[in-house]
């Protein structure tokens, strides 16, 4: 299974989001995913198994509990596959980051009694174009 096929499923993406915050037991993952997606515990276990087999999650036993964590191998594979395409979106994300920082700075200055928040930027930027 390709790394992007693993990430193509919303349940598996949600599980990875949960695990990205730290190690969780199968029961903790299951209770969140079952309530959000309305699926059974065996279905959650199947998704955890796929994540484990495809290198996206690790599992360790602690007594009767099974604790899951993100395995960096799977996300790294997905990132490596996507990296040739970064040239299409990275500059736009950089420009967006610049504009967000500029807006935060203007709001901070306005709050400090400096330049009004509605003052347009003084430097020219490359506009974000729709692709």
């Amino acid at each position: 299974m390709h790394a992007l096929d693993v990430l193509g499923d919303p349940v598996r993406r949600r599980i990875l989001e949960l695990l990205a915050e730290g190690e969780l037991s199968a029961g903790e993952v299951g209770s969140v995913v079952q309530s959000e997606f309305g699926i059974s515990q065996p279905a959650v276990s199947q998704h955890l198994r796929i994540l484990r087999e495809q290198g996206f999650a690790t599992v360790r036993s602690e007594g009767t509990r099974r604790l899951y964590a993100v395995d960096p191998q799977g996300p790294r594979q997905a990132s490596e596959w996507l990296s040739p395409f970064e040239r299409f979106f990275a500059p736009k994300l950089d420009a967006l980051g610049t504009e967000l920082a500029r807006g935060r700075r203007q709001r901070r200055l306005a709050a400090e009694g400096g330049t009004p928040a509605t003052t347009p930027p003084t430097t020219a930027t490359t506009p974000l174009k729709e692709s």
Side-chain angles (χ1 to χ4, degrees):
M1 183 179 287
H2 190 279
L4 295 183
D5 292 328
V6 174
L7 296 175
D9 186 278
V11 173
R12 290 193 288 268
R13 284 194 310 269
R14 180 62 176 131
I15 291 171
L16 284 173
E17 289 170 356
L18 293 169
L19 296 179
E21 295 178 16
E23 189 176 60
L24 293 172
S25 71
E28 291 168 321
V29 171
S31 65
V32 172
V33 172
Q34 286 175 282
S35 68
E36 291 180 5
F37 291 91
I39 63 175
S40 67
Q41 184 278 324
V44 174
S45 294
Q46 179 73 9
H47 286 290
L48 285 167
R49 183 180 66 76
I50 291 169
L51 289 170
R52 200 175 59 248
E53 289 175 354
Q54 297 301 317
F56 281 82
T58 61
V59 64
R60 69 179 181 88
S61 296
E62 186 177 272
T64 59
R65 296 174 9 138
R66 294 176 58 90
L67 299 171
Y68 287 84
V70 171
D71 182 341
Q73 174 189 340
R76 188 177 312 115
Q77 288 174 355
S79 177
E80 287 170 1
W81 190 90
L82 285 169
S83 66
F85 302 98
E86 287 179 3
R87 64 188 170 106
F88 297 110
F89 60 84
K92 293 177 183 182
L93 290 176
D94 290 343
L96 176 61
T98 299
E99 291 303 317
L100 292 172
R102 181 175 286 131
R104 284 191 301 270
R105 180 178 181 273
Q106 288 177 343
R107 285 190 299 281
R108 188 188 76 242
L109 289 174
E112 294 172 355
T115 308
T118 57
T119 303
T122 57
T123 58
T125 61
T126 304
L128 296 175
K129 298 179 196 172
E130 291 187 27
S131 298

